[in-house]
Amino acid sequence: MRPRLITRRRLLQGSLAATAAIPLLNAELARGDEAVAPKRFVVFYTPNGTLESQWMPTGTETNFTLSPLLEKLEPFKSKLIPLRGINMNVVVNSNIGSEHARGIGGLLTGRALLKGNFRSFMSNNAGWASGISLDQHIANKLKPSTLFRTLELGVQVRDAEVRGRLCYSAPDQPIPPREDPYDTFEQLFGAAVPGQGGSEGGSAALDRLRAQRRTVFELLREEIADVRPRIGAEDRIKLEAHMQSIREIEQRLAGGGAPDGTGAPAPLCKPPALGARIDLSDDANMPAIGQLQMDLAAAALACDLTRIVTIQWSYAESEHLYPFLGLSENHHAISHQWNDAGKAKYTKIHTWFAEQLAYLLGKLDSYKEGDRSLLDNTVVLWVTEISESTQHALTNMPFLLAGSAGGVFRTGRFVDYLANGGRARQHNDLLVTIANAMGTDDTTFGDPEFSTGPLPGLT
């Protein structure tokens, strides 16, 4: 009798939905549906620029030292490309909107803002961006065969105007991010989360809940049981850890207790107390909300539910509070405190953001795809809407790439276009370079006046 096989995709959809930070099985029985793993694109946005002196690495292309604001990324240094000398000239000279609004509007579109009535800092004439964003463009061109063409996630974004929108399906057509990880979980994995309202005490509601909570893990249980005797001890340990991890993330989202230790899913049909649900409006919960969104982003990519994800932390010109860092003033106010005390507070916030990116990179790197990891098959772009915060600058942007998009980018280098008398490059061309790495044939992107083609020295 021919032995039953579990494909990589089905295994991921079941036992990896919780994004356990351990590698996939090495056994040949868990083999991929495709000969080559797909490429993925992730945008990681954080607000209010940076301190250039504390962000830019030092040293040479291949012998460089990460700066204080980047030191949390040291474990992934060999998979990084910090960039120096990237300008956003497409929005520098525009008179529409503040630098913050212009910056976030142009980050992924490579185009200036349209006129409108949104207020942003000292300006009240800002409209939406005038072009499609790179994530949507890549999805339109490549038409990935995934359940979700793209996935837009937000962490306490709150602003519904131009400052709070990163992605655009077309000119003047912003895409709001998903800010509720509970809703994200239900949409991705088809499992209802208790505490979402409705008559949870009725038998009909419980029956629906029981049906919805039949996760793919449960549906795959028979196949997993068939495979377990034919894999090695090491792989068996990994498989058990994966199966445990989905139970844990379900309970984190539902507010349930610890797993029961029996090897079967914990009883999730009993609605938990609503008080256990994370308050999405509380600034103190930003770390927990962000971690859930990053876990779900990694799961969606690993399960091939999508290949393009944007993660947006707050909004441009953010006035978010960070009580969990011991700070009482808002982020934007701190970004303009130019004394040493203000810079220390600002550094604390942006070091924390680097730590969040390190968490996401670690999740992606934990999934093994042949001789590479999910991170290796992904290109992550870390962006912010301005550069030097004290000057509202839109030149020498603090952009960073992580992952090689399946070997396209040569990582572990500090690419400095200003070194040795070099000239600055346009961020539109960085967007073209990423599009090409993902598989498009674009020669320009965004406003063609500010785009001449792919950047040199990255691939």
Side-chain angles (χ1 to χ4, degrees), residues 4-17 23-40 145-146 216 220 223-224 227 239 242 298-307 364 367-375 377-378:
R4 179 181 298 169
L5 299 180
I6 299 179
T7 65
R8 181 182 66 87
R9 182 173 298 169
R10 289 205 63 190
L11 179 62
L12 284 168
Q13 286 176 327
S15 58
L16 291 188
L24 295 184
L25 299 183
N26 296 320
E28 292 182 0
L29 291 170
R31 64 190 189 188
D33 292 338
E34 304 90 2
V36 179
K39 298 176 182 178
R40 289 82 156 198
S145 58
T146 54
V216 183
L220 284 173
E223 295 186 35
I224 291 172
V227 167
L239 181 58
H242 285 312
L301 294 168
C303 298
D304 208 25
L305 296 174
T306 190
R307 297 174 185 175
L364 299 179
Y367 296 116
K368 301 307 175 185
E369 298 184 323
D371 58 355
R372 292 193 175 117
S373 70
L374 176 56
L375 175 58
N377 292 319
T378 302

Side-chain angles (χ1 to χ4, degrees), residues 322-345:
Y322 295 82
F324 51 90
L325 295 179
L327 302 174
S328 58
E329 298 156 286
N330 78 66
H331 190 185
H332 187 253
I334 290 173
S335 74
H336 288 287
Q337 294 177 6
W338 301 345
N339 56 25
D340 289 343
K343 290 181 178 179
K345 289 182 283 188

Side-chain angles (χ1 to χ4, degrees), residues 210-222:
R210 290 187 184 99
Q212 289 170 322
R213 293 302 262 174
R214 288 182 66 234
T215 63
V216 183
F217 166 82
E218 292 172 294
L219 298 176
L220 284 173
R221 187 164 49 192
E222 180 183 349

